[in-house]
Amino acid sequence: MSELGDQKPILSVRFFVTVGGREPVREWLSGLERKDRRSVGFDIKTAQFGWPIGMPLIRKLEPGLWEVRSHIANGIARVLFTVEGDTKVLLHGFVKKSEKTPAADLKTAKRRLAELKKR
């Protein structure tokens, strides 16, 4: 039995898939150290079972876009996501190096969100 018991998730989780079939967040996660992957995965799962959840784990960035905030060995990891119905779609992941969410990372997530809405 997991630490969440027999509780059912509120949201299912899926990775954003590019037109070319890539899963950028899965690829990013696989590049992290095992301990860091586990930490980010646990935080994603916590949000999945506790949705809606707020700070300090989840922060809304703008309408339709949130971030999971995880502490890892090299700093702070962020996974930007959207929610479609009962599914959390992981759009973009990165390790944050400054106070503010970098404009390039936010732009990447917004571009993927726009692409997702067109499908």
Side-chain angles (χ1 to χ4, degrees):
M1 187 187 302
S2 75
E3 50 199 64
L4 295 171
D6 293 329
Q7 181 183 352
K8 299 275 188 237
I10 294 166
L11 297 175
S12 62
V13 174
R14 72 179 172 91
F15 292 95
F16 170 82
V17 179
T18 67
V19 174
R22 291 183 46 243
E23 295 176 321
V25 177
R26 186 186 302 271
E27 293 168 10
W28 171 77
L29 281 168
S30 70
L32 295 177
E33 295 291 327
R34 184 168 192 250
K35 182 178 177 183
D36 293 339
R37 270 196 316 272
R38 289 179 58 89
S39 178
V40 172
F42 180 80
D43 290 342
I44 289 168
K45 188 173 185 176
T46 298
Q48 177 185 6
F49 279 79
W51 187 257
I53 196 169
M55 292 286 279
L57 183 62
I58 302 293
R59 182 170 72 110
K60 187 170 188 170
L61 299 174
E62 58 185 56
L65 193 61
W66 292 266
E67 67 178 0
V68 176
R69 305 154 53 91
S70 300
H71 293 280
I72 61 171
N74 291 339
I76 302 168
R78 296 290 188 256
V79 177
L80 306 185
F81 68 95
T82 192
V83 176
E84 289 188 324
D86 62 354
T87 303
K88 177 167 54 171
V89 182
L90 308 180
L91 300 169
H92 182 59
F94 62 98
V95 176
K96 194 169 171 181
K97 307 268 192 232
S98 62
E99 282 283 319
K100 217 173 162 178
T101 300
D105 290 301
L106 190 54
K107 184 177 180 181
T108 297
K110 289 166 118 178
R111 186 183 74 247
R112 290 177 182 160
L113 178 57
E115 185 179 324
L116 191 65
K117 287 182 177 183
K118 282 193 242 175
R119 295 180 189 174

